[in-house]
Amino acid sequence: MEVKLETPGQCSKYKISEKNSLKDLTTTPDHQNPTESKGTMPEQKEMETGKEGLVSKPHEAPVINEYADAQLHNLVRRMRQRTILYKKKLAEGDISSPEASPQTAKPTAVPSTQESSAKLKEEHYYHILCFKFQKMPLTEYLKQIRLPRSIDSYTDRLYLLWLLLVTIAYNWNCWLIPLRLVFPYQTPDNTRYWFITDIICDIIYLCDMLLIQPRLQFIKGGNIIVDSNELKTHYRSSTKFQLDVASIMPFDVFYVFFGFNPIFRANRILKYTSFFEFNHHLESIMDKAYIYRVIRTTGYLLFTLHINACIYYWASDYEGIGTTKWVYDGEGNKYLRCYYWAVRTLITIGGLPEPQTSFEIVFQLVNFFSGVFVFSSLIGQMQDVIGAATANQSNFRNSMDHTISYMNTYSIPKGVQKRVRTWYEYTWDSQRMLDESDLISTLPVTMQLALTVDMNLSIISKVDLFKGCDTQMIYDMLLRLKSTVYLPGDFVCKKGEIGKEMYIIKQGEVQVLGGSDGAQVLVTLKAGAVFGEISLLAARGGNRRTANVIAHGFANLLTLDKKTLQEILVHYPDSEKLLMKKASVLLKKKAPGTEESPPRKGLAFLFQPKQKTPKMFKALLGGTGKAGLTRLLKMKKEQTIQEKSENSKEGERKGREYEDKGREPVEKTQDSSKCRANSVTAEEMPQSIRRAALPRGTTRQSLIISMAPSTEAGEEVLMIEVKEKAKQ
């Protein structure tokens, strides 16, 4: 229902003539099509001549501002024209915007139909004082409250609420029909109240049988049946339908012949199936169902005592109230006195008056036997309920007692025993069980995957190593994760050991230790962090840990070992290749230079740290097969000796100078043609290459050292070559 509030100032203007409002509605804008304005001319003339009675218009809201009202109508009319043009464009396949050519928009008969629908809608409004109410048609209201075609009894909470209502009506009949039948609490003065309540309960029974139960879904051959005809057929062929029909049989008509006797409503107790169905559904959605089971069992006991109290009052009335010491003496509250007697009888407390007549003796014997049977059954059921509620705690205590007995047998140190007890206590307090995998393993694989995805998928998705991998591989990995609890100060992994597991922090914190003494906290990892993932794909026995990791407080970690991951990757070769590539990239990032150098102690801090060996020098030291540093120095020494010997034989060399000058071009030509594939001559060498030639005396060998820029930025390549000179 829609309510529109109008100000008192507006209410004072209700006397504005309908002629003005209708005239304003029919006013056309300047740009409107002439045909439309012509169509409205007769109507305008009729209104101008005062013939309002001939115009069949619904009652309109009063107009406060004629100009504003005209502008609003003009805006609505333009929007309608724009909508019509869009529809036309879509029908013709042209999706261009009509804003560029508004002249092409032509009015059609659609606005008239829209105005008629708006008028019909306005007819559902009515005014009360300054309020404007919208009346909802009955058909629309029924559609909103219409029941669904089928109802899922396991997931629909509204159905559970309906069962609660049926259960209340059922308990009313179960508890009060025997009470009204035996005790004189139903009198002619209050008969109408009992009768009205009985009718309400019968209506609930009838609605449940006709409207709700025929819509309940059921499973047939593994399929969920939702067809209305099949649902009705299934319900009508069930035992529940027969009991529902028997419970609603109108034996109340016998009131006309035998008076208002509650015995004719005893068949209402046959609707017990709805009561037990409600209990089952309620237990399935409760976090601590054993609490409700205890309450329900207590209710069974109280109801049994209630029936026994009613039977005792009936027996007392049969023998005569107050005729013997055994029967009810008629003093005090009737129901409370009889209920007290029933409690002492069923629980076999004793101290009751001795029965006097044969009827009383037989009644007492039957009551004693029934009390022993009923009370023992209820006590046994109560014990089962409490035992089932504390089964996990009992298993925990048994496991802890066996572990403590084992440690005492082998004289385990007290410190270790204390840590074991602490682990047991924390594990129980945090997750109420020792091993989660035992509980999950009892479920189907589909349910296991649903639980693990909900708990751990958000954490695994943050690991860079597994981004881009097959989704099914991630699911298989989630099923293999193991939960481990670490105590404060426990080592998760130690420096130098072979890493075979990946760790995911589910709860708590861990600290990474380093430094010279291994006690410096480098970083603290919190819930959701991952470490050790590179160890899963490291080759040749695994990757060694580079730091100690300890638990800072209690920490719950999820672990995945290397063997399990390899078993999973067998079925996903593409993901295996991707993981190998990512692992190689991550391993390259962990360069040795990134490791922290140990702190300098003593007088060492006064001296500058030793610089790294240049790459060129390393190349000379590590050169194999071409020329090492030792060979280079030896050749330099031989060159010096050769120069001294040439100076002493200067006279001889002058005589041969001419001959040597004639042969030099030939030797250079032969030498350059022989080594053209590996080097260039000194004249052709660019400035970026530095070359030194060391002739080697008698062996006619030359040592050529050259530096050339490498393809990698910031680096150079050192080339050392030894060449033979051509023989003269």
Side-chain angles (χ1 to χ4, degrees), residues 682-701:
E683 291 78 5
E684 298 174 349
M685 192 177 304
Q687 295 181 359
S688 61
I689 300 177
R690 299 185 299 274
R691 173 174 294 182
L694 300 179
R696 187 167 179 176
T698 58
T699 59
R700 295 181 178 276
Q701 292 181 349

mmCIF file with all atom_site columns, all heavy atoms in Angstrom, residues 682-701:
data_model
loop_
_atom_site.group_PDB
_atom_site.id
_atom_site.type_symbol
_atom_site.label_atom_id
_atom_site.label_alt_id
_atom_site.label_comp_id
_atom_site.label_asym_id
_atom_site.label_entity_id
_atom_site.label_seq_id
_atom_site.pdbx_PDB_ins_code
_atom_site.Cartn_x
_atom_site.Cartn_y
_atom_site.Cartn_z
_atom_site.occupancy
_atom_site.B_iso_or_equiv
_atom_site.pdbx_formal_charge
_atom_site.auth_seq_id
_atom_site.auth_comp_id
_atom_site.auth_asym_id
_atom_site.auth_atom_id
_atom_site.pdbx_PDB_model_num
ATOM 1   N N   . ALA A 1 682 ? 95.039  -4.650  -36.422 1.00 0.00 ? 682 ALA A N   1
ATOM 2   C CA  . ALA A 1 682 ? 95.063  -3.475  -35.553 1.00 0.00 ? 682 ALA A CA  1
ATOM 3   C C   . ALA A 1 682 ? 94.476  -2.256  -36.226 1.00 0.00 ? 682 ALA A C   1
ATOM 4   O O   . ALA A 1 682 ? 93.863  -1.412  -35.589 1.00 0.00 ? 682 ALA A O   1
ATOM 5   C CB  . ALA A 1 682 ? 96.494  -3.190  -35.102 1.00 0.00 ? 682 ALA A CB  1
ATOM 6   N N   . GLU A 1 683 ? 94.651  -2.122  -37.555 1.00 0.00 ? 683 GLU A N   1
ATOM 7   C CA  . GLU A 1 683 ? 94.093  -0.967  -38.238 1.00 0.00 ? 683 GLU A CA  1
ATOM 8   C C   . GLU A 1 683 ? 92.566  -1.050  -38.279 1.00 0.00 ? 683 GLU A C   1
ATOM 9   O O   . GLU A 1 683 ? 91.886  -0.027  -38.266 1.00 0.00 ? 683 GLU A O   1
ATOM 10  C CB  . GLU A 1 683 ? 94.655  -0.864  -39.669 1.00 0.00 ? 683 GLU A CB  1
ATOM 11  C CG  . GLU A 1 683 ? 96.141  -0.491  -39.737 1.00 0.00 ? 683 GLU A CG  1
ATOM 12  C CD  . GLU A 1 683 ? 97.036  -1.692  -39.439 1.00 0.00 ? 683 GLU A CD  1
ATOM 13  O OE1 . GLU A 1 683 ? 96.469  -2.812  -39.287 1.00 0.00 ? 683 GLU A OE1 1
ATOM 14  O OE2 . GLU A 1 683 ? 98.232  -1.522  -39.336 1.00 0.00 ? 683 GLU A OE2 1
ATOM 15  N N   . GLU A 1 684 ? 91.998  -2.281  -38.419 1.00 0.00 ? 684 GLU A N   1
ATOM 16  C CA  . GLU A 1 684 ? 90.565  -2.441  -38.507 1.00 0.00 ? 684 GLU A CA  1
ATOM 17  C C   . GLU A 1 684 ? 89.871  -2.479  -37.143 1.00 0.00 ? 684 GLU A C   1
ATOM 18  O O   . GLU A 1 684 ? 88.656  -2.459  -37.057 1.00 0.00 ? 684 GLU A O   1
ATOM 19  C CB  . GLU A 1 684 ? 90.220  -3.725  -39.265 1.00 0.00 ? 684 GLU A CB  1
ATOM 20  C CG  . GLU A 1 684 ? 90.723  -3.728  -40.688 1.00 0.00 ? 684 GLU A CG  1
ATOM 21  C CD  . GLU A 1 684 ? 90.487  -5.065  -41.357 1.00 0.00 ? 684 GLU A CD  1
ATOM 22  O OE1 . GLU A 1 684 ? 90.125  -6.009  -40.629 1.00 0.00 ? 684 GLU A OE1 1
ATOM 23  O OE2 . GLU A 1 684 ? 90.636  -5.158  -42.564 1.00 0.00 ? 684 GLU A OE2 1
ATOM 24  N N   . MET A 1 685 ? 90.585  -2.530  -36.075 1.00 0.00 ? 685 MET A N   1
ATOM 25  C CA  . MET A 1 685 ? 90.017  -2.685  -34.734 1.00 0.00 ? 685 MET A CA  1
ATOM 26  C C   . MET A 1 685 ? 89.421  -1.364  -34.261 1.00 0.00 ? 685 MET A C   1
ATOM 27  O O   . MET A 1 685 ? 90.064  -0.340  -34.367 1.00 0.00 ? 685 MET A O   1
ATOM 28  C CB  . MET A 1 685 ? 91.103  -3.139  -33.775 1.00 0.00 ? 685 MET A CB  1
ATOM 29  C CG  . MET A 1 685 ? 90.567  -3.603  -32.429 1.00 0.00 ? 685 MET A CG  1
ATOM 30  S SD  . MET A 1 685 ? 91.918  -4.203  -31.427 1.00 0.00 ? 685 MET A SD  1
ATOM 31  C CE  . MET A 1 685 ? 92.592  -5.452  -32.491 1.00 0.00 ? 685 MET A CE  1
ATOM 32  N N   . PRO A 1 686 ? 88.199  -1.372  -33.752 1.00 0.00 ? 686 PRO A N   1
ATOM 33  C CA  . PRO A 1 686 ? 87.604  -0.117  -33.245 1.00 0.00 ? 686 PRO A CA  1
ATOM 34  C C   . PRO A 1 686 ? 88.246  0.306   -31.947 1.00 0.00 ? 686 PRO A C   1
ATOM 35  O O   . PRO A 1 686 ? 88.984  -0.433  -31.310 1.00 0.00 ? 686 PRO A O   1
ATOM 36  C CB  . PRO A 1 686 ? 86.133  -0.495  -33.055 1.00 0.00 ? 686 PRO A CB  1
ATOM 37  C CG  . PRO A 1 686 ? 86.144  -1.960  -32.863 1.00 0.00 ? 686 PRO A CG  1
ATOM 38  C CD  . PRO A 1 686 ? 87.267  -2.489  -33.702 1.00 0.00 ? 686 PRO A CD  1
ATOM 39  N N   . GLN A 1 687 ? 87.882  1.550   -31.540 1.00 0.00 ? 687 GLN A N   1
ATOM 40  C CA  . GLN A 1 687 ? 88.473  2.088   -30.313 1.00 0.00 ? 687 GLN A CA  1
ATOM 41  C C   . GLN A 1 687 ? 87.958  1.394   -29.075 1.00 0.00 ? 687 GLN A C   1
ATOM 42  O O   . GLN A 1 687 ? 88.590  1.436   -28.039 1.00 0.00 ? 687 GLN A O   1
ATOM 43  C CB  . GLN A 1 687 ? 88.159  3.590   -30.226 1.00 0.00 ? 687 GLN A CB  1
ATOM 44  C CG  . GLN A 1 687 ? 88.811  4.396   -31.332 1.00 0.00 ? 687 GLN A CG  1
ATOM 45  C CD  . GLN A 1 687 ? 88.499  5.863   -31.211 1.00 0.00 ? 687 GLN A CD  1
ATOM 46  O OE1 . GLN A 1 687 ? 87.778  6.264   -30.318 1.00 0.00 ? 687 GLN A OE1 1
ATOM 47  N NE2 . GLN A 1 687 ? 89.071  6.659   -32.118 1.00 0.00 ? 687 GLN A NE2 1
ATOM 48  N N   . SER A 1 688 ? 86.780  0.774   -29.139 1.00 0.00 ? 688 SER A N   1
ATOM 49  C CA  . SER A 1 688 ? 86.219  0.109   -27.969 1.00 0.00 ? 688 SER A CA  1
ATOM 50  C C   . SER A 1 688 ? 86.953  -1.154  -27.610 1.00 0.00 ? 688 SER A C   1
ATOM 51  O O   . SER A 1 688 ? 86.735  -1.717  -26.561 1.00 0.00 ? 688 SER A O   1
ATOM 52  C CB  . SER A 1 688 ? 84.739  -0.210  -28.206 1.00 0.00 ? 688 SER A CB  1
ATOM 53  O OG  . SER A 1 688 ? 84.631  -1.073  -29.325 1.00 0.00 ? 688 SER A OG  1
ATOM 54  N N   . ILE A 1 689 ? 87.884  -1.606  -28.547 1.00 0.00 ? 689 ILE A N   1
ATOM 55  C CA  . ILE A 1 689 ? 88.636  -2.837  -28.291 1.00 0.00 ? 689 ILE A CA  1
ATOM 56  C C   . ILE A 1 689 ? 90.078  -2.463  -28.046 1.00 0.00 ? 689 ILE A C   1
ATOM 57  O O   . ILE A 1 689 ? 90.695  -1.765  -28.852 1.00 0.00 ? 689 ILE A O   1
ATOM 58  C CB  . ILE A 1 689 ? 88.530  -3.824  -29.482 1.00 0.00 ? 689 ILE A CB  1
ATOM 59  C CG1 . ILE A 1 689 ? 87.061  -4.181  -29.707 1.00 0.00 ? 689 ILE A CG1 1
ATOM 60  C CG2 . ILE A 1 689 ? 89.370  -5.057  -29.234 1.00 0.00 ? 689 ILE A CG2 1
ATOM 61  C CD1 . ILE A 1 689 ? 86.856  -5.098  -30.895 1.00 0.00 ? 689 ILE A CD1 1
ATOM 62  N N   . ARG A 1 690 ? 90.607  -2.906  -26.938 1.00 0.00 ? 690 ARG A N   1
ATOM 63  C CA  . ARG A 1 690 ? 92.004  -2.658  -26.585 1.00 0.00 ? 690 ARG A CA  1
ATOM 64  C C   . ARG A 1 690 ? 92.789  -3.948  -26.791 1.00 0.00 ? 690 ARG A C   1
ATOM 65  O O   . ARG A 1 690 ? 92.428  -4.992  -26.235 1.00 0.00 ? 690 ARG A O   1
ATOM 66  C CB  . ARG A 1 690 ? 92.095  -2.206  -25.124 1.00 0.00 ? 690 ARG A CB  1
ATOM 67  C CG  . ARG A 1 690 ? 91.332  -0.915  -24.860 1.00 0.00 ? 690 ARG A CG  1
ATOM 68  C CD  . ARG A 1 690 ? 91.557  -0.447  -23.434 1.00 0.00 ? 690 ARG A CD  1
ATOM 69  N NE  . ARG A 1 690 ? 91.086  -1.440  -22.480 1.00 0.00 ? 690 ARG A NE  1
ATOM 70  C CZ  . ARG A 1 690 ? 89.839  -1.504  -22.059 1.00 0.00 ? 690 ARG A CZ  1
ATOM 71  N NH1 . ARG A 1 690 ? 88.940  -0.665  -22.546 1.00 0.00 ? 690 ARG A NH1 1
ATOM 72  N NH2 . ARG A 1 690 ? 89.487  -2.401  -21.176 1.00 0.00 ? 690 ARG A NH2 1
ATOM 73  N N   . ARG A 1 691 ? 93.848  -3.856  -27.558 1.00 0.00 ? 691 ARG A N   1
ATOM 74  C CA  . ARG A 1 691 ? 94.615  -5.053  -27.929 1.00 0.00 ? 691 ARG A CA  1
ATOM 75  C C   . ARG A 1 691 ? 96.099  -4.820  -27.636 1.00 0.00 ? 691 ARG A C   1
ATOM 76  O O   . ARG A 1 691 ? 96.631  -3.758  -27.902 1.00 0.00 ? 691 ARG A O   1
ATOM 77  C CB  . ARG A 1 691 ? 94.403  -5.371  -29.413 1.00 0.00 ? 691 ARG A CB  1
ATOM 78  C CG  . ARG A 1 691 ? 95.293  -6.499  -29.919 1.00 0.00 ? 691 ARG A CG  1
ATOM 79  C CD  . ARG A 1 691 ? 94.961  -6.873  -31.340 1.00 0.00 ? 691 ARG A CD  1
ATOM 80  N NE  . ARG A 1 691 ? 93.648  -7.439  -31.409 1.00 0.00 ? 691 ARG A NE  1
ATOM 81  C CZ  . ARG A 1 691 ? 93.099  -7.905  -32.525 1.00 0.00 ? 691 ARG A CZ  1
ATOM 82  N NH1 . ARG A 1 691 ? 93.761  -7.861  -33.652 1.00 0.00 ? 691 ARG A NH1 1
ATOM 83  N NH2 . ARG A 1 691 ? 91.879  -8.400  -32.514 1.00 0.00 ? 691 ARG A NH2 1
ATOM 84  N N   . ALA A 1 692 ? 96.773  -5.858  -27.129 1.00 0.00 ? 692 ALA A N   1
ATOM 85  C CA  . ALA A 1 692 ? 98.228  -5.830  -26.884 1.00 0.00 ? 692 ALA A CA  1
ATOM 86  C C   . ALA A 1 692 ? 98.833  -7.098  -27.436 1.00 0.00 ? 692 ALA A C   1
ATOM 87  O O   . ALA A 1 692 ? 98.348  -8.185  -27.109 1.00 0.00 ? 692 ALA A O   1
ATOM 88  C CB  . ALA A 1 692 ? 98.532  -5.709  -25.393 1.00 0.00 ? 692 ALA A CB  1
ATOM 89  N N   . ALA A 1 693 ? 99.809  -7.006  -28.255 1.00 0.00 ? 693 ALA A N   1
ATOM 90  C CA  . ALA A 1 693 ? 100.471 -8.171  -28.878 1.00 0.00 ? 693 ALA A CA  1
ATOM 91  C C   . ALA A 1 693 ? 101.835 -8.354  -28.250 1.00 0.00 ? 693 ALA A C   1
ATOM 92  O O   . ALA A 1 693 ? 102.643 -7.422  -28.224 1.00 0.00 ? 693 ALA A O   1
ATOM 93  C CB  . ALA A 1 693 ? 100.610 -7.980  -30.388 1.00 0.00 ? 693 ALA A CB  1
ATOM 94  N N   . LEU A 1 694 ? 102.057 -9.522  -27.711 1.00 0.00 ? 694 LEU A N   1
ATOM 95  C CA  . LEU A 1 694 ? 103.327 -9.847  -27.056 1.00 0.00 ? 694 LEU A CA  1
ATOM 96  C C   . LEU A 1 694 ? 104.018 -10.943 -27.872 1.00 0.00 ? 694 LEU A C   1
ATOM 97  O O   . LEU A 1 694 ? 103.615 -12.099 -27.807 1.00 0.00 ? 694 LEU A O   1
ATOM 98  C CB  . LEU A 1 694 ? 103.079 -10.325 -25.620 1.00 0.00 ? 694 LEU A CB  1
ATOM 99  C CG  . LEU A 1 694 ? 102.386 -9.303  -24.707 1.00 0.00 ? 694 LEU A CG  1
ATOM 100 C CD1 . LEU A 1 694 ? 102.175 -9.915  -23.338 1.00 0.00 ? 694 LEU A CD1 1
ATOM 101 C CD2 . LEU A 1 694 ? 103.166 -8.025  -24.611 1.00 0.00 ? 694 LEU A CD2 1
ATOM 102 N N   . PRO A 1 695 ? 104.968 -10.563 -28.649 1.00 0.00 ? 695 PRO A N   1
ATOM 103 C CA  . PRO A 1 695 ? 105.675 -11.614 -29.405 1.00 0.00 ? 695 PRO A CA  1
ATOM 104 C C   . PRO A 1 695 ? 106.472 -12.494 -28.474 1.00 0.00 ? 695 PRO A C   1
ATOM 105 O O   . PRO A 1 695 ? 107.041 -12.029 -27.492 1.00 0.00 ? 695 PRO A O   1
ATOM 106 C CB  . PRO A 1 695 ? 106.573 -10.809 -30.354 1.00 0.00 ? 695 PRO A CB  1
ATOM 107 C CG  . PRO A 1 695 ? 106.796 -9.511  -29.673 1.00 0.00 ? 695 PRO A CG  1
ATOM 108 C CD  . PRO A 1 695 ? 105.560 -9.219  -28.906 1.00 0.00 ? 695 PRO A CD  1
ATOM 109 N N   . ARG A 1 696 ? 106.471 -13.740 -28.743 1.00 0.00 ? 696 ARG A N   1
ATOM 110 C CA  . ARG A 1 696 ? 107.176 -14.691 -27.893 1.00 0.00 ? 696 ARG A CA  1
ATOM 111 C C   . ARG A 1 696 ? 108.445 -15.133 -28.607 1.00 0.00 ? 696 ARG A C   1
ATOM 112 O O   . ARG A 1 696 ? 108.432 -16.001 -29.466 1.00 0.00 ? 696 ARG A O   1
ATOM 113 C CB  . ARG A 1 696 ? 106.287 -15.887 -27.613 1.00 0.00 ? 696 ARG A CB  1
ATOM 114 C CG  . ARG A 1 696 ? 106.921 -16.816 -26.599 1.00 0.00 ? 696 ARG A CG  1
ATOM 115 C CD  . ARG A 1 696 ? 105.919 -17.803 -26.110 1.00 0.00 ? 696 ARG A CD  1
ATOM 116 N NE  . ARG A 1 696 ? 106.521 -18.697 -25.155 1.00 0.00 ? 696 ARG A NE  1
ATOM 117 C CZ  . ARG A 1 696 ? 105.857 -19.622 -24.498 1.00 0.00 ? 696 ARG A CZ  1
ATOM 118 N NH1 . ARG A 1 696 ? 104.569 -19.741 -24.716 1.00 0.00 ? 696 ARG A NH1 1
ATOM 119 N NH2 . ARG A 1 696 ? 106.476 -20.405 -23.635 1.00 0.00 ? 696 ARG A NH2 1
ATOM 120 N N   . GLY A 1 697 ? 109.540 -14.534 -28.288 1.00 0.00 ? 697 GLY A N   1
ATOM 121 C CA  . GLY A 1 697 ? 110.913 -14.752 -28.782 1.00 0.00 ? 697 GLY A CA  1
ATOM 122 C C   . GLY A 1 697 ? 111.099 -15.818 -29.827 1.00 0.00 ? 697 GLY A C   1
ATOM 123 O O   . GLY A 1 697 ? 110.752 -15.668 -30.976 1.00 0.00 ? 697 GLY A O   1
ATOM 124 N N   . THR A 1 698 ? 111.670 -16.935 -29.406 1.00 0.00 ? 698 THR A N   1
ATOM 125 C CA  . THR A 1 698 ? 112.137 -17.966 -30.331 1.00 0.00 ? 698 THR A CA  1
ATOM 126 C C   . THR A 1 698 ? 111.022 -18.835 -30.849 1.00 0.00 ? 698 THR A C   1
ATOM 127 O O   . THR A 1 698 ? 111.195 -19.512 -31.850 1.00 0.00 ? 698 THR A O   1
ATOM 128 C CB  . THR A 1 698 ? 113.175 -18.844 -29.620 1.00 0.00 ? 698 THR A CB  1
ATOM 129 O OG1 . THR A 1 698 ? 112.546 -19.398 -28.459 1.00 0.00 ? 698 THR A OG1 1
ATOM 130 C CG2 . THR A 1 698 ? 114.370 -18.019 -29.203 1.00 0.00 ? 698 THR A CG2 1
ATOM 131 N N   . THR A 1 699 ? 109.883 -18.853 -30.163 1.00 0.00 ? 699 THR A N   1
ATOM 132 C CA  . THR A 1 699 ? 108.809 -19.754 -30.582 1.00 0.00 ? 699 THR A CA  1
ATOM 133 C C   . THR A 1 699 ? 107.936 -19.145 -31.661 1.00 0.00 ? 699 THR A C   1
ATOM 134 O O   . THR A 1 699 ? 107.030 -19.791 -32.157 1.00 0.00 ? 699 THR A O   1
ATOM 135 C CB  . THR A 1 699 ? 107.928 -20.106 -29.374 1.00 0.00 ? 699 THR A CB  1
ATOM 136 O OG1 . THR A 1 699 ? 107.394 -18.909 -28.826 1.00 0.00 ? 699 THR A OG1 1
ATOM 137 C CG2 . THR A 1 699 ? 108.723 -20.855 -28.340 1.00 0.00 ? 699 THR A CG2 1
ATOM 138 N N   . ARG A 1 700 ? 108.173 -17.859 -31.975 1.00 0.00 ? 700 ARG A N   1
ATOM 139 C CA  . ARG A 1 700 ? 107.390 -17.164 -32.994 1.00 0.00 ? 700 ARG A CA  1
ATOM 140 C C   . ARG A 1 700 ? 105.881 -17.186 -32.665 1.00 0.00 ? 700 ARG A C   1
ATOM 141 O O   . ARG A 1 700 ? 105.057 -17.461 -33.497 1.00 0.00 ? 700 ARG A O   1
ATOM 142 C CB  . ARG A 1 700 ? 107.628 -17.768 -34.381 1.00 0.00 ? 700 ARG A CB  1
ATOM 143 C CG  . ARG A 1 700 ? 109.041 -17.599 -34.877 1.00 0.00 ? 700 ARG A CG  1
ATOM 144 C CD  . ARG A 1 700 ? 109.174 -18.200 -36.264 1.00 0.00 ? 700 ARG A CD  1
ATOM 145 N NE  . ARG A 1 700 ? 110.508 -18.005 -36.756 1.00 0.00 ? 700 ARG A NE  1
ATOM 146 C CZ  . ARG A 1 700 ? 110.937 -16.878 -37.361 1.00 0.00 ? 700 ARG A CZ  1
ATOM 147 N NH1 . ARG A 1 700 ? 110.095 -15.885 -37.521 1.00 0.00 ? 700 ARG A NH1 1
ATOM 148 N NH2 . ARG A 1 700 ? 112.186 -16.764 -37.793 1.00 0.00 ? 700 ARG A NH2 1
ATOM 149 N N   . GLN A 1 701 ? 105.519 -16.960 -31.402 1.00 0.00 ? 701 GLN A N   1
ATOM 150 C CA  . GLN A 1 701 ? 104.118 -16.891 -30.979 1.00 0.00 ? 701 GLN A CA  1
ATOM 151 C C   . GLN A 1 701 ? 103.779 -15.485 -30.487 1.00 0.00 ? 701 GLN A C   1
ATOM 152 O O   . GLN A 1 701 ? 104.641 -14.811 -29.926 1.00 0.00 ? 701 GLN A O   1
ATOM 153 C CB  . GLN A 1 701 ? 103.824 -17.895 -29.856 1.00 0.00 ? 701 GLN A CB  1
ATOM 154 C CG  . GLN A 1 701 ? 103.901 -19.340 -30.292 1.00 0.00 ? 701 GLN A CG  1
ATOM 155 C CD  . GLN A 1 701 ? 103.592 -20.279 -29.157 1.00 0.00 ? 701 GLN A CD  1
ATOM 156 O OE1 . GLN A 1 701 ? 103.518 -19.852 -28.016 1.00 0.00 ? 701 GLN A OE1 1
ATOM 157 N NE2 . GLN A 1 701 ? 103.405 -21.558 -29.488 1.00 0.00 ? 701 GLN A NE2 1
#
